Short mmCIF file of all heavy atoms in Angstrom, two decimals:
data_model
loop_
_atom_site.label_atom_id
_atom_site.label_comp_id
_atom_site.label_asym_id
_atom_site.label_seq_id
_atom_site.Cartn_x
_atom_site.Cartn_y
_atom_site.Cartn_z
N MET A 1 -71.13 -34.59 -71.92
CA MET A 1 -69.91 -34.81 -72.66
C MET A 1 -69.10 -33.51 -72.64
O MET A 1 -69.65 -32.44 -72.77
CB MET A 1 -70.24 -35.20 -74.11
CG MET A 1 -69.03 -35.33 -74.99
SD MET A 1 -69.39 -35.90 -76.66
CE MET A 1 -69.33 -37.65 -76.40
N LYS A 2 -67.80 -33.67 -72.46
CA LYS A 2 -66.97 -32.47 -72.41
C LYS A 2 -66.98 -31.75 -73.75
O LYS A 2 -67.27 -32.35 -74.79
CB LYS A 2 -65.55 -32.80 -71.96
CG LYS A 2 -64.73 -33.64 -72.91
CD LYS A 2 -63.36 -33.91 -72.30
CE LYS A 2 -62.48 -34.68 -73.26
NZ LYS A 2 -61.14 -34.87 -72.71
N ARG A 3 -66.71 -30.48 -73.73
CA ARG A 3 -66.83 -29.62 -74.92
C ARG A 3 -65.50 -29.43 -75.66
O ARG A 3 -65.50 -29.21 -76.86
CB ARG A 3 -67.37 -28.24 -74.54
CG ARG A 3 -68.68 -28.24 -73.78
CD ARG A 3 -69.78 -29.08 -74.37
NE ARG A 3 -70.28 -28.58 -75.63
CZ ARG A 3 -71.12 -29.27 -76.40
NH1 ARG A 3 -71.55 -30.44 -76.04
NH2 ARG A 3 -71.52 -28.78 -77.54
N ASN A 4 -64.38 -29.49 -74.97
CA ASN A 4 -63.08 -29.26 -75.60
C ASN A 4 -62.27 -30.55 -75.58
O ASN A 4 -62.10 -31.16 -74.53
CB ASN A 4 -62.32 -28.16 -74.87
CG ASN A 4 -63.03 -26.84 -74.97
OD1 ASN A 4 -63.40 -26.42 -76.06
ND2 ASN A 4 -63.24 -26.18 -73.85
N TRP A 5 -61.76 -30.91 -76.74
CA TRP A 5 -61.04 -32.17 -76.90
C TRP A 5 -59.66 -31.93 -77.48
O TRP A 5 -59.50 -31.13 -78.40
CB TRP A 5 -61.81 -33.09 -77.85
CG TRP A 5 -63.10 -33.57 -77.29
CD1 TRP A 5 -64.30 -32.92 -77.29
CD2 TRP A 5 -63.32 -34.81 -76.66
NE1 TRP A 5 -65.25 -33.69 -76.68
CE2 TRP A 5 -64.68 -34.86 -76.29
CE3 TRP A 5 -62.52 -35.90 -76.34
CZ2 TRP A 5 -65.24 -35.96 -75.63
CZ3 TRP A 5 -63.07 -36.99 -75.70
CH2 TRP A 5 -64.43 -37.00 -75.35
N GLU A 6 -58.69 -32.65 -76.98
CA GLU A 6 -57.36 -32.69 -77.58
C GLU A 6 -57.41 -33.72 -78.71
O GLU A 6 -58.18 -34.68 -78.65
CB GLU A 6 -56.31 -33.12 -76.55
CG GLU A 6 -56.17 -32.17 -75.38
CD GLU A 6 -55.60 -30.82 -75.79
OE1 GLU A 6 -54.78 -30.77 -76.73
OE2 GLU A 6 -56.00 -29.82 -75.17
N LEU A 7 -56.58 -33.53 -79.73
CA LEU A 7 -56.57 -34.44 -80.87
C LEU A 7 -56.34 -35.88 -80.42
O LEU A 7 -57.00 -36.80 -80.90
CB LEU A 7 -55.52 -34.02 -81.89
CG LEU A 7 -55.42 -34.92 -83.13
CD1 LEU A 7 -56.76 -35.00 -83.86
CD2 LEU A 7 -54.32 -34.44 -84.04
N GLU A 8 -55.42 -36.08 -79.49
CA GLU A 8 -55.12 -37.42 -79.00
C GLU A 8 -56.38 -38.10 -78.43
O GLU A 8 -56.62 -39.28 -78.66
CB GLU A 8 -54.04 -37.34 -77.92
CG GLU A 8 -53.61 -38.67 -77.36
CD GLU A 8 -52.51 -38.49 -76.33
OE1 GLU A 8 -51.44 -37.98 -76.68
OE2 GLU A 8 -52.76 -38.87 -75.17
N ASP A 9 -57.18 -37.34 -77.70
CA ASP A 9 -58.42 -37.89 -77.12
C ASP A 9 -59.45 -38.18 -78.19
O ASP A 9 -60.17 -39.18 -78.13
CB ASP A 9 -59.00 -36.93 -76.08
CG ASP A 9 -58.09 -36.76 -74.89
OD1 ASP A 9 -57.37 -37.72 -74.54
OD2 ASP A 9 -58.09 -35.66 -74.30
N LEU A 10 -59.55 -37.31 -79.19
CA LEU A 10 -60.47 -37.54 -80.31
C LEU A 10 -60.11 -38.83 -81.03
O LEU A 10 -60.98 -39.65 -81.33
CB LEU A 10 -60.45 -36.37 -81.29
CG LEU A 10 -61.12 -35.09 -80.83
CD1 LEU A 10 -60.77 -33.95 -81.78
CD2 LEU A 10 -62.62 -35.27 -80.73
N VAL A 11 -58.83 -39.00 -81.29
CA VAL A 11 -58.37 -40.22 -81.98
C VAL A 11 -58.71 -41.45 -81.15
O VAL A 11 -59.23 -42.44 -81.67
CB VAL A 11 -56.85 -40.13 -82.26
CG1 VAL A 11 -56.30 -41.47 -82.74
CG2 VAL A 11 -56.56 -39.03 -83.26
N GLU A 12 -58.45 -41.40 -79.86
CA GLU A 12 -58.69 -42.54 -78.99
C GLU A 12 -60.17 -42.89 -78.87
O GLU A 12 -60.53 -44.07 -78.90
CB GLU A 12 -58.12 -42.26 -77.60
CG GLU A 12 -58.27 -43.42 -76.64
CD GLU A 12 -57.70 -43.12 -75.28
OE1 GLU A 12 -56.76 -42.30 -75.17
OE2 GLU A 12 -58.20 -43.70 -74.30
N GLN A 13 -61.02 -41.90 -78.75
CA GLN A 13 -62.43 -42.16 -78.47
C GLN A 13 -63.33 -42.22 -79.70
O GLN A 13 -64.36 -42.89 -79.67
CB GLN A 13 -62.98 -41.07 -77.52
CG GLN A 13 -62.31 -41.05 -76.18
CD GLN A 13 -62.50 -42.34 -75.41
OE1 GLN A 13 -63.52 -43.01 -75.50
NE2 GLN A 13 -61.50 -42.69 -74.63
N PHE A 14 -62.96 -41.54 -80.79
CA PHE A 14 -63.91 -41.37 -81.89
C PHE A 14 -63.41 -41.84 -83.25
O PHE A 14 -64.04 -41.57 -84.27
CB PHE A 14 -64.35 -39.90 -81.97
CG PHE A 14 -65.05 -39.46 -80.72
CD1 PHE A 14 -64.41 -38.66 -79.80
CD2 PHE A 14 -66.33 -39.89 -80.44
CE1 PHE A 14 -65.04 -38.26 -78.63
CE2 PHE A 14 -66.97 -39.52 -79.27
CZ PHE A 14 -66.33 -38.71 -78.37
N THR A 15 -62.30 -42.55 -83.29
CA THR A 15 -61.84 -43.12 -84.55
C THR A 15 -62.75 -44.28 -84.92
O THR A 15 -63.09 -45.11 -84.09
CB THR A 15 -60.38 -43.59 -84.43
OG1 THR A 15 -59.57 -42.44 -84.18
CG2 THR A 15 -59.91 -44.29 -85.68
N ILE A 16 -63.14 -44.31 -86.19
CA ILE A 16 -63.99 -45.39 -86.69
C ILE A 16 -63.09 -46.62 -86.88
O ILE A 16 -62.17 -46.61 -87.69
CB ILE A 16 -64.66 -45.00 -88.02
CG1 ILE A 16 -65.44 -43.69 -87.87
CG2 ILE A 16 -65.53 -46.13 -88.53
CD1 ILE A 16 -66.56 -43.72 -86.88
N MET A 17 -63.40 -47.66 -86.14
CA MET A 17 -62.62 -48.89 -86.18
C MET A 17 -63.20 -49.84 -87.24
O MET A 17 -64.34 -49.68 -87.66
CB MET A 17 -62.63 -49.56 -84.81
CG MET A 17 -62.11 -48.64 -83.69
SD MET A 17 -60.46 -48.00 -83.98
CE MET A 17 -59.49 -49.47 -83.76
N PRO A 18 -62.42 -50.85 -87.68
CA PRO A 18 -62.91 -51.78 -88.70
C PRO A 18 -64.25 -52.44 -88.33
O PRO A 18 -65.12 -52.59 -89.20
CB PRO A 18 -61.79 -52.82 -88.81
CG PRO A 18 -60.56 -52.06 -88.42
CD PRO A 18 -61.01 -51.11 -87.34
N ASN A 19 -64.43 -52.82 -87.07
CA ASN A 19 -65.71 -53.44 -86.70
C ASN A 19 -66.85 -52.42 -86.75
O ASN A 19 -68.00 -52.79 -87.00
CB ASN A 19 -65.64 -54.12 -85.34
CG ASN A 19 -65.23 -53.18 -84.23
OD1 ASN A 19 -64.61 -52.16 -84.46
ND2 ASN A 19 -65.56 -53.54 -83.00
N ASP A 20 -66.56 -51.12 -86.54
CA ASP A 20 -67.57 -50.07 -86.72
C ASP A 20 -67.94 -49.93 -88.19
O ASP A 20 -69.10 -49.71 -88.53
CB ASP A 20 -67.05 -48.71 -86.23
CG ASP A 20 -66.73 -48.67 -84.75
OD1 ASP A 20 -67.38 -49.41 -83.97
OD2 ASP A 20 -65.83 -47.90 -84.36
N MET A 21 -66.95 -50.06 -89.06
CA MET A 21 -67.20 -49.91 -90.50
C MET A 21 -68.19 -50.94 -91.02
O MET A 21 -68.98 -50.64 -91.91
CB MET A 21 -65.89 -50.02 -91.30
CG MET A 21 -65.06 -48.76 -91.28
SD MET A 21 -65.95 -47.28 -91.83
CE MET A 21 -66.28 -47.68 -93.53
N SER A 22 -68.19 -52.13 -90.44
CA SER A 22 -69.15 -53.14 -90.88
C SER A 22 -70.58 -52.68 -90.61
O SER A 22 -71.51 -53.07 -91.32
CB SER A 22 -68.87 -54.49 -90.22
OG SER A 22 -69.10 -54.42 -88.82
N LEU A 23 -70.78 -51.85 -89.59
CA LEU A 23 -72.11 -51.32 -89.28
C LEU A 23 -72.44 -50.09 -90.13
O LEU A 23 -73.59 -49.86 -90.48
CB LEU A 23 -72.18 -50.93 -87.80
CG LEU A 23 -71.96 -52.03 -86.78
CD1 LEU A 23 -71.84 -51.45 -85.38
CD2 LEU A 23 -73.10 -53.03 -86.84
N ILE A 24 -71.44 -49.32 -90.48
CA ILE A 24 -71.63 -48.05 -91.18
C ILE A 24 -71.73 -48.23 -92.69
O ILE A 24 -72.42 -47.49 -93.37
CB ILE A 24 -70.45 -47.11 -90.83
CG1 ILE A 24 -70.48 -46.79 -89.35
CG2 ILE A 24 -70.48 -45.85 -91.66
CD1 ILE A 24 -69.21 -46.15 -88.84
N ARG A 25 -71.05 -49.20 -93.20
CA ARG A 25 -70.88 -49.40 -94.64
C ARG A 25 -72.18 -49.31 -95.43
O ARG A 25 -72.20 -48.79 -96.55
CB ARG A 25 -70.22 -50.76 -94.85
CG ARG A 25 -70.00 -51.19 -96.23
CD ARG A 25 -69.19 -52.46 -96.31
NE ARG A 25 -67.99 -52.33 -95.46
CZ ARG A 25 -67.56 -53.26 -94.62
NH1 ARG A 25 -68.20 -54.39 -94.50
NH2 ARG A 25 -66.50 -53.07 -93.89
N ASN A 26 -73.28 -49.79 -94.92
CA ASN A 26 -74.53 -49.84 -95.68
C ASN A 26 -75.36 -48.57 -95.60
O ASN A 26 -76.44 -48.50 -96.17
CB ASN A 26 -75.37 -51.03 -95.21
CG ASN A 26 -74.70 -52.35 -95.52
OD1 ASN A 26 -74.03 -52.47 -96.53
ND2 ASN A 26 -74.86 -53.31 -94.66
N ASN A 27 -74.88 -47.56 -94.90
CA ASN A 27 -75.61 -46.29 -94.79
C ASN A 27 -75.27 -45.38 -95.96
O ASN A 27 -74.18 -45.44 -96.51
CB ASN A 27 -75.24 -45.57 -93.48
CG ASN A 27 -75.75 -46.33 -92.28
OD1 ASN A 27 -76.95 -46.49 -92.12
ND2 ASN A 27 -74.84 -46.81 -91.45
N SER A 28 -76.23 -44.55 -96.33
CA SER A 28 -76.00 -43.59 -97.41
C SER A 28 -76.69 -42.29 -97.05
O SER A 28 -77.47 -42.21 -96.11
CB SER A 28 -76.53 -44.13 -98.73
OG SER A 28 -77.93 -44.34 -98.64
N GLY A 29 -76.39 -41.25 -97.80
CA GLY A 29 -77.01 -39.95 -97.57
C GLY A 29 -76.66 -39.40 -96.20
O GLY A 29 -75.52 -39.51 -95.75
N GLU A 30 -77.64 -38.82 -95.53
CA GLU A 30 -77.42 -38.19 -94.23
C GLU A 30 -76.98 -39.19 -93.17
O GLU A 30 -76.24 -38.85 -92.26
CB GLU A 30 -78.68 -37.47 -93.76
CG GLU A 30 -79.03 -36.29 -94.61
CD GLU A 30 -80.36 -35.67 -94.23
OE1 GLU A 30 -81.04 -36.20 -93.34
OE2 GLU A 30 -80.71 -34.65 -94.83
N THR A 31 -77.44 -40.42 -93.27
CA THR A 31 -77.08 -41.41 -92.25
C THR A 31 -75.63 -41.86 -92.38
O THR A 31 -75.09 -42.46 -91.46
CB THR A 31 -78.00 -42.64 -92.29
OG1 THR A 31 -77.90 -43.27 -93.57
CG2 THR A 31 -79.44 -42.25 -92.00
N ARG A 32 -75.00 -41.58 -93.51
CA ARG A 32 -73.59 -41.95 -93.70
C ARG A 32 -72.71 -41.26 -92.66
O ARG A 32 -71.73 -41.83 -92.20
CB ARG A 32 -73.15 -41.59 -95.11
CG ARG A 32 -71.76 -42.03 -95.47
CD ARG A 32 -71.72 -43.51 -95.71
NE ARG A 32 -70.40 -43.87 -96.17
CZ ARG A 32 -70.06 -45.09 -96.49
NH1 ARG A 32 -70.95 -46.05 -96.42
NH2 ARG A 32 -68.86 -45.36 -96.89
N LEU A 33 -73.05 -40.05 -92.26
CA LEU A 33 -72.32 -39.35 -91.21
C LEU A 33 -73.05 -39.45 -89.88
O LEU A 33 -72.45 -39.62 -88.83
CB LEU A 33 -72.10 -37.88 -91.57
CG LEU A 33 -71.41 -37.01 -90.53
CD1 LEU A 33 -70.04 -37.58 -90.16
CD2 LEU A 33 -71.29 -35.59 -91.02
N GLY A 34 -74.36 -39.36 -89.90
CA GLY A 34 -75.15 -39.36 -88.67
C GLY A 34 -75.02 -40.63 -87.86
O GLY A 34 -74.87 -40.57 -86.63
N PHE A 35 -75.05 -41.77 -88.51
CA PHE A 35 -74.97 -43.03 -87.79
C PHE A 35 -73.66 -43.20 -87.04
O PHE A 35 -73.66 -43.55 -85.86
CB PHE A 35 -75.23 -44.22 -88.72
CG PHE A 35 -75.20 -45.53 -88.00
CD1 PHE A 35 -76.26 -45.95 -87.23
CD2 PHE A 35 -74.08 -46.34 -88.07
CE1 PHE A 35 -76.24 -47.16 -86.54
CE2 PHE A 35 -74.04 -47.55 -87.39
CZ PHE A 35 -75.12 -47.96 -86.63
N PRO A 36 -72.50 -42.96 -87.67
CA PRO A 36 -71.25 -43.11 -86.90
C PRO A 36 -71.14 -42.11 -85.75
O PRO A 36 -70.55 -42.44 -84.71
CB PRO A 36 -70.14 -42.90 -87.93
CG PRO A 36 -70.77 -42.46 -89.17
CD PRO A 36 -72.23 -42.71 -89.08
N ILE A 37 -71.71 -40.93 -85.89
CA ILE A 37 -71.69 -39.96 -84.79
C ILE A 37 -72.48 -40.51 -83.61
O ILE A 37 -72.01 -40.50 -82.48
CB ILE A 37 -72.24 -38.60 -85.25
CG1 ILE A 37 -71.26 -37.96 -86.22
CG2 ILE A 37 -72.51 -37.69 -84.05
CD1 ILE A 37 -71.80 -36.73 -86.93
N VAL A 38 -73.67 -41.01 -83.89
CA VAL A 38 -74.52 -41.58 -82.83
C VAL A 38 -73.85 -42.82 -82.23
O VAL A 38 -73.84 -43.01 -81.01
CB VAL A 38 -75.92 -41.91 -83.37
CG1 VAL A 38 -76.73 -42.72 -82.36
CG2 VAL A 38 -76.66 -40.64 -83.75
N LEU A 39 -73.27 -43.66 -83.07
CA LEU A 39 -72.59 -44.88 -82.61
C LEU A 39 -71.44 -44.55 -81.67
O LEU A 39 -71.34 -45.11 -80.57
CB LEU A 39 -72.07 -45.68 -83.80
CG LEU A 39 -71.24 -46.91 -83.48
CD1 LEU A 39 -72.09 -47.96 -82.78
CD2 LEU A 39 -70.61 -47.47 -84.75
N LYS A 40 -70.57 -43.63 -82.06
CA LYS A 40 -69.41 -43.30 -81.23
C LYS A 40 -69.83 -42.57 -79.95
O LYS A 40 -69.24 -42.78 -78.90
CB LYS A 40 -68.39 -42.47 -82.02
CG LYS A 40 -67.78 -43.21 -83.21
CD LYS A 40 -67.27 -44.59 -82.88
CE LYS A 40 -65.88 -44.63 -82.38
NZ LYS A 40 -65.34 -45.98 -82.19
N PHE A 41 -70.86 -41.74 -80.03
CA PHE A 41 -71.38 -41.11 -78.82
C PHE A 41 -71.88 -42.18 -77.86
O PHE A 41 -71.58 -42.14 -76.67
CB PHE A 41 -72.53 -40.14 -79.17
CG PHE A 41 -73.10 -39.43 -77.97
CD1 PHE A 41 -72.58 -38.22 -77.56
CD2 PHE A 41 -74.15 -39.97 -77.25
CE1 PHE A 41 -73.11 -37.55 -76.45
CE2 PHE A 41 -74.68 -39.32 -76.15
CZ PHE A 41 -74.16 -38.11 -75.75
N PHE A 42 -72.62 -43.14 -78.38
CA PHE A 42 -73.14 -44.22 -77.53
C PHE A 42 -72.00 -45.03 -76.92
O PHE A 42 -72.03 -45.37 -75.73
CB PHE A 42 -74.06 -45.14 -78.33
CG PHE A 42 -74.66 -46.23 -77.49
CD1 PHE A 42 -75.76 -45.98 -76.68
CD2 PHE A 42 -74.12 -47.50 -77.49
CE1 PHE A 42 -76.31 -46.97 -75.89
CE2 PHE A 42 -74.65 -48.50 -76.70
CZ PHE A 42 -75.75 -48.24 -75.89
N GLN A 43 -70.98 -45.34 -77.69
CA GLN A 43 -69.84 -46.10 -77.16
C GLN A 43 -69.12 -45.32 -76.07
O GLN A 43 -68.63 -45.91 -75.11
CB GLN A 43 -68.87 -46.44 -78.29
CG GLN A 43 -69.41 -47.48 -79.24
CD GLN A 43 -68.51 -47.69 -80.44
OE1 GLN A 43 -67.63 -46.89 -80.75
NE2 GLN A 43 -68.76 -48.78 -81.15
N TYR A 44 -69.07 -44.00 -76.18
CA TYR A 44 -68.37 -43.18 -75.20
C TYR A 44 -69.22 -42.93 -73.95
O TYR A 44 -68.75 -43.05 -72.83
CB TYR A 44 -67.96 -41.84 -75.83
CG TYR A 44 -67.21 -40.94 -74.89
CD1 TYR A 44 -65.87 -41.18 -74.60
CD2 TYR A 44 -67.82 -39.86 -74.28
CE1 TYR A 44 -65.17 -40.37 -73.73
CE2 TYR A 44 -67.14 -39.03 -73.41
CZ TYR A 44 -65.81 -39.30 -73.14
OH TYR A 44 -65.12 -38.49 -72.27
N GLU A 45 -70.48 -42.59 -74.14
CA GLU A 45 -71.36 -42.19 -73.04
C GLU A 45 -72.23 -43.32 -72.49
O GLU A 45 -72.84 -43.16 -71.44
CB GLU A 45 -72.28 -41.04 -73.48
CG GLU A 45 -71.57 -39.73 -73.74
CD GLU A 45 -71.19 -39.02 -72.45
OE1 GLU A 45 -71.91 -39.15 -71.44
OE2 GLU A 45 -70.17 -38.32 -72.47
N ALA A 46 -72.36 -44.41 -73.22
CA ALA A 46 -73.24 -45.53 -72.86
C ALA A 46 -74.71 -45.10 -72.77
O ALA A 46 -75.49 -45.64 -72.00
CB ALA A 46 -72.80 -46.20 -71.57
N THR A 47 -75.06 -44.11 -73.57
CA THR A 47 -76.44 -43.63 -73.70
C THR A 47 -76.56 -42.91 -75.03
O THR A 47 -75.55 -42.61 -75.67
CB THR A 47 -76.82 -42.70 -72.53
OG1 THR A 47 -78.23 -42.42 -72.60
CG2 THR A 47 -76.04 -41.41 -72.54
N PHE A 48 -77.78 -42.65 -75.45
CA PHE A 48 -77.98 -41.90 -76.68
C PHE A 48 -78.09 -40.42 -76.38
O PHE A 48 -78.52 -40.02 -75.29
CB PHE A 48 -79.24 -42.39 -77.41
CG PHE A 48 -79.07 -43.76 -78.00
CD1 PHE A 48 -79.65 -44.86 -77.40
CD2 PHE A 48 -78.32 -43.95 -79.14
CE1 PHE A 48 -79.48 -46.12 -77.92
CE2 PHE A 48 -78.15 -45.22 -79.68
CZ PHE A 48 -78.73 -46.30 -79.06
N SER A 49 -77.75 -39.61 -77.35
CA SER A 49 -77.84 -38.16 -77.21
C SER A 49 -79.32 -37.75 -77.14
O SER A 49 -80.14 -38.26 -77.90
CB SER A 49 -77.18 -37.50 -78.41
OG SER A 49 -77.43 -36.13 -78.43
N ASN A 50 -79.63 -36.84 -76.24
CA ASN A 50 -80.99 -36.32 -76.12
C ASN A 50 -81.19 -35.01 -76.85
O ASN A 50 -82.32 -34.62 -77.13
CB ASN A 50 -81.35 -36.12 -74.64
CG ASN A 50 -81.47 -37.42 -73.91
OD1 ASN A 50 -82.06 -38.37 -74.40
ND2 ASN A 50 -80.89 -37.50 -72.73
N PHE A 51 -80.09 -34.31 -77.13
CA PHE A 51 -80.18 -32.98 -77.73
C PHE A 51 -79.21 -32.88 -78.90
O PHE A 51 -78.12 -33.43 -78.86
CB PHE A 51 -79.83 -31.90 -76.70
CG PHE A 51 -80.65 -32.00 -75.45
CD1 PHE A 51 -80.12 -32.59 -74.31
CD2 PHE A 51 -81.94 -31.52 -75.41
CE1 PHE A 51 -80.88 -32.70 -73.15
CE2 PHE A 51 -82.71 -31.62 -74.27
CZ PHE A 51 -82.18 -32.21 -73.13
N LYS A 52 -79.60 -32.14 -79.91
CA LYS A 52 -78.78 -31.96 -81.10
C LYS A 52 -77.40 -31.40 -80.75
O LYS A 52 -76.39 -31.85 -81.28
CB LYS A 52 -79.50 -31.03 -82.07
CG LYS A 52 -78.73 -30.75 -83.33
CD LYS A 52 -79.50 -29.81 -84.23
CE LYS A 52 -78.70 -29.47 -85.47
NZ LYS A 52 -79.41 -28.55 -86.33
N ASN A 53 -77.34 -30.46 -79.85
CA ASN A 53 -76.07 -29.81 -79.51
C ASN A 53 -75.30 -30.53 -78.43
O ASN A 53 -74.29 -30.02 -77.96
CB ASN A 53 -76.33 -28.36 -79.09
CG ASN A 53 -76.85 -27.54 -80.24
OD1 ASN A 53 -76.55 -27.81 -81.40
ND2 ASN A 53 -77.65 -26.53 -79.94
N GLU A 54 -75.74 -31.69 -78.03
CA GLU A 54 -75.05 -32.44 -76.98
C GLU A 54 -73.71 -32.99 -77.47
O GLU A 54 -72.78 -33.19 -76.70
CB GLU A 54 -75.95 -33.58 -76.50
CG GLU A 54 -75.47 -34.26 -75.26
CD GLU A 54 -76.50 -35.22 -74.68
OE1 GLU A 54 -77.58 -35.40 -75.26
OE2 GLU A 54 -76.20 -35.80 -73.64
N ILE A 55 -73.61 -33.24 -78.75
CA ILE A 55 -72.37 -33.74 -79.34
C ILE A 55 -71.58 -32.55 -79.84
O ILE A 55 -72.03 -31.82 -80.72
CB ILE A 55 -72.66 -34.73 -80.48
CG1 ILE A 55 -73.52 -35.89 -79.96
CG2 ILE A 55 -71.36 -35.24 -81.09
CD1 ILE A 55 -74.07 -36.79 -81.02
N PRO A 56 -70.40 -32.32 -79.29
CA PRO A 56 -69.61 -31.14 -79.66
C PRO A 56 -69.25 -31.12 -81.15
O PRO A 56 -68.99 -32.15 -81.76
CB PRO A 56 -68.34 -31.27 -78.82
CG PRO A 56 -68.70 -32.17 -77.70
CD PRO A 56 -69.74 -33.11 -78.26
N LYS A 57 -69.24 -29.93 -81.71
CA LYS A 57 -68.90 -29.74 -83.12
C LYS A 57 -67.53 -30.34 -83.43
O LYS A 57 -67.32 -30.90 -84.50
CB LYS A 57 -68.93 -28.25 -83.45
CG LYS A 57 -68.69 -27.94 -84.89
CD LYS A 57 -68.81 -26.46 -85.16
CE LYS A 57 -68.55 -26.19 -86.63
NZ LYS A 57 -68.63 -24.76 -86.92
N GLN A 58 -66.60 -30.21 -82.51
CA GLN A 58 -65.25 -30.74 -82.68
C GLN A 58 -65.29 -32.26 -82.92
O GLN A 58 -64.54 -32.80 -83.73
CB GLN A 58 -64.44 -30.40 -81.45
CG GLN A 58 -62.98 -30.60 -81.56
CD GLN A 58 -62.25 -30.16 -80.29
OE1 GLN A 58 -62.85 -29.94 -79.24
NE2 GLN A 58 -60.95 -30.04 -80.39
N VAL A 59 -66.16 -32.96 -82.20
CA VAL A 59 -66.31 -34.41 -82.37
C VAL A 59 -66.91 -34.72 -83.73
O VAL A 59 -66.44 -35.61 -84.46
CB VAL A 59 -67.16 -35.01 -81.22
CG1 VAL A 59 -67.52 -36.47 -81.50
CG2 VAL A 59 -66.45 -34.86 -79.90
N VAL A 60 -67.95 -34.00 -84.10
CA VAL A 60 -68.60 -34.20 -85.41
C VAL A 60 -67.60 -33.98 -86.55
O VAL A 60 -67.51 -34.79 -87.48
CB VAL A 60 -69.82 -33.28 -85.56
CG1 VAL A 60 -70.39 -33.37 -86.97
CG2 VAL A 60 -70.88 -33.62 -84.53
N GLU A 61 -66.83 -32.91 -86.46
CA GLU A 61 -65.83 -32.62 -87.50
C GLU A 61 -64.77 -33.70 -87.57
O GLU A 61 -64.33 -34.07 -88.68
CB GLU A 61 -65.21 -31.25 -87.26
CG GLU A 61 -66.17 -30.11 -87.51
CD GLU A 61 -65.62 -28.76 -87.09
OE1 GLU A 61 -64.55 -28.69 -86.43
OE2 GLU A 61 -66.27 -27.75 -87.42
N TYR A 62 -64.34 -34.22 -86.45
CA TYR A 62 -63.33 -35.28 -86.45
C TYR A 62 -63.89 -36.53 -87.14
O TYR A 62 -63.22 -37.13 -87.98
CB TYR A 62 -62.87 -35.62 -85.02
CG TYR A 62 -61.92 -36.78 -85.02
CD1 TYR A 62 -60.60 -36.60 -85.40
CD2 TYR A 62 -62.35 -38.07 -84.71
CE1 TYR A 62 -59.71 -37.67 -85.45
CE2 TYR A 62 -61.48 -39.14 -84.76
CZ TYR A 62 -60.16 -38.94 -85.14
OH TYR A 62 -59.30 -40.00 -85.20
N ILE A 63 -65.09 -36.93 -86.76
CA ILE A 63 -65.68 -38.14 -87.37
C ILE A 63 -65.91 -37.93 -88.86
O ILE A 63 -65.70 -38.85 -89.66
CB ILE A 63 -66.97 -38.52 -86.63
CG1 ILE A 63 -66.64 -38.97 -85.21
CG2 ILE A 63 -67.72 -39.62 -87.38
CD1 ILE A 63 -67.85 -39.20 -84.32
N ALA A 64 -66.30 -36.74 -89.25
CA ALA A 64 -66.55 -36.44 -90.67
C ALA A 64 -65.29 -36.59 -91.52
O ALA A 64 -65.37 -36.98 -92.68
CB ALA A 64 -67.12 -35.04 -90.81
N LYS A 65 -64.14 -36.29 -90.92
CA LYS A 65 -62.88 -36.42 -91.67
C LYS A 65 -62.55 -37.87 -91.87
O LYS A 65 -61.98 -38.29 -92.81
CB LYS A 65 -61.75 -35.72 -90.92
CG LYS A 65 -61.86 -34.23 -90.96
CD LYS A 65 -60.72 -33.61 -90.21
CE LYS A 65 -60.90 -32.10 -90.14
NZ LYS A 65 -59.85 -31.47 -89.35
#
């Protein structure tokens, strides 16, 4: 996954959509943020992350907002 993202690309690839919210809604605690990060990574890469640092901090911060 690329390391540097423009805001426009973050919005396009990592915005939580209403159908994503139906999957996220029931999570709490750490999974409240962790699950959408893993979900959006999977939707973008079509695979799961193998390493903690594989998902750029910029992406995590965008999803957290």
Side-chain angles (χ1 to χ4, degrees):
M1 175 176 272
K2 67 181 183 177
R3 306 311 292 171
N4 296 310
W5 292 83
E6 298 293 327
L7 180 58
E8 182 179 298
D9 296 328
L10 287 169
V11 170
E12 182 180 332
Q13 297 299 327
F14 298 105
T15 297
I16 305 298
M17 303 304 289
N19 58 337
D20 297 330
M21 281 305 296
S22 66
L23 299 171
I24 296 166
R25 178 173 311 134
N26 295 326
N27 292 297
S28 62
E30 293 174 357
T31 60
R32 185 75 175 181
L33 177 57
F35 182 78
I37 291 170
V38 170
L39 175 66
K40 297 311 273 186
F41 181 90
F42 182 81
Q43 289 173 344
Y44 181 76
E45 291 284 328
T47 188
F48 290 104
S49 171
N50 292 316
F51 306 100
K52 179 181 177 181
N53 294 331
E54 191 170 2
I55 303 170
K57 184 177 180 181
Q58 192 177 14
V59 171
V60 173
E61 290 172 351
Y62 176 77
I63 293 172
K65 288 180 186 177

